[in-house]
Amino acid sequence: MATKENDQIIKENNCETKMGLPCVLEAFTSIFETGSISNKCCGELVGLGKVCHSALVKRTLENPLFKDLSPATIIVKSIQTWNNCLALIDSPSPSA
């Protein structure tokens, strides 16, 4: 997916205004580095929506600063973070 498409998705969905900076940093760390994301930030991430989440991750991968990272690894971590947050938010009672 081209940068232009990601930028358009991000702009059209107001993706950059839906999460507070502390949670953006937590999500970033859990995907691009090593760290965990709090329940509060999981709520913000899920509120952001999967379309925004994917577009923001892909746009970050296109940044030359992150050229040494493995896109495949980052996409896997991105999906894991999303799924973990979704499970946390969607199931207040232990249904699993």
Side-chain angles (χ1 to χ4, degrees):
M1 190 180 278
T3 304
K4 200 172 182 180
E5 288 175 47
N6 288 324
D7 284 342
Q8 190 175 350
I9 290 167
I10 291 163
K11 189 176 179 187
E12 286 175 359
N13 293 285
N14 296 316
C15 297
E16 292 178 316
T17 62
K18 291 183 178 177
M19 282 179 79
L21 186 59
C23 287
V24 168
L25 295 174
E26 268 189 38
F28 178 89
T29 302
S30 76
I31 295 166
F32 289 90
E33 295 168 11
T34 305
S36 58
I37 184 167
S38 66
N39 292 7
K40 176 186 178 291
C41 291
C42 266
E44 284 195 25
L45 182 67
V46 172
L48 175 71
K50 191 166 180 95
V51 169
C52 281
H53 174 65
S54 296
L56 288 164
V57 168
K58 287 174 185 167
R59 188 179 71 180
T60 304
L61 279 171
E62 290 165 354
N63 185 316
L65 288 172
F66 303 104
K67 70 181 187 310
D68 294 335
L69 295 175
S70 158
T73 302
I74 297 303
I75 297 297
V76 167
K77 287 177 77 177
S78 159
I79 292 166
Q80 283 174 340
T81 299
W82 175 263
N83 287 341
N84 290 345
C85 283
L86 203 57
L88 192 72
I89 302 308
D90 278 358
S91 58
S93 61
S95 57

